[in-house]
Amino acid sequence: MKVTSHWHGFAWTGHERPADNVRTDPSQPTPPLEIADWLKKPARHVAATFDNTPAGAKEASAWMRAGAEEHVYLSEESFSLDERMSYVDDDLSRGADAVWGYYSKTGRYVSRALVACPRADIGCPYGR
């Protein structure tokens, strides 16, 4: 099994959750149906890349938090950002993906993904 050497961050915000036929088109910046399919997107859709080091994981976590602070979760009172971040930090500590898709208090659909790379069956498509 390959060990994650880094994460690619992807961000998308729209008026609603995109239709499945749009999500299956790799040229679209929309969240795909399968997490690994983020890595089929063109490099221009990568918002950030973070190394799998303690400093890189901290930066990746901060990136997720910043996105959530910009687009506050509709049900923040029932599942706080700090609670959600504990899951993100646990995922990152294991070299796993951290992925959110939710509606914000402003009614926007928000997708944030930290996708572990390389994967067992996919080398880094962006040359890292």
Side-chain angles (χ1 to χ4, degrees):
M1 179 175 137
K2 288 185 177 181
V3 175
T4 298
S5 68
H6 56 278
W7 295 275
H8 295 293
F10 297 89
W12 184 84
T13 303
H15 292 290
E16 60 188 18
R17 183 183 168 275
D20 287 353
N21 65 325
V22 175
R23 295 177 71 189
T24 58
D25 181 351
S27 70
Q28 297 296 314
T30 57
L33 295 174
E34 300 287 331
I35 293 169
D37 288 348
W38 276 114
L39 298 177
K40 294 179 181 176
K41 305 280 184 181
R44 70 180 179 273
H45 296 312
V46 176
T49 298
F50 307 95
D51 289 327
N52 186 0
T53 63
K58 186 176 180 180
E59 290 171 6
S61 177
W63 180 81
M64 285 289 275
R65 179 178 283 277
E69 288 172 345
E70 180 181 354
H71 301 283
V72 177
Y73 180 45
L74 178 63
S75 299
E76 183 69 26
E77 295 78 19
S78 63
F79 193 28
S80 74
L81 178 56
D82 287 339
E83 290 172 303
R84 293 191 322 273
M85 288 306 302
S86 70
Y87 287 97
V88 168
D89 292 338
D90 180 60
D91 291 338
L92 297 177
S93 74
R94 294 179 288 109
D97 304 312
V99 179
W100 289 343
Y102 64 91
Y103 279 95
S104 71
K105 287 190 175 191
T106 61
R108 307 276 289 177
Y109 185 79
V110 179
S111 174
R112 295 292 181 272
L114 290 166
V115 181
C117 187
R119 301 177 90 75
D121 55 342
I122 303 172
C124 182
Y126 308 116
R128 287 209 52 190

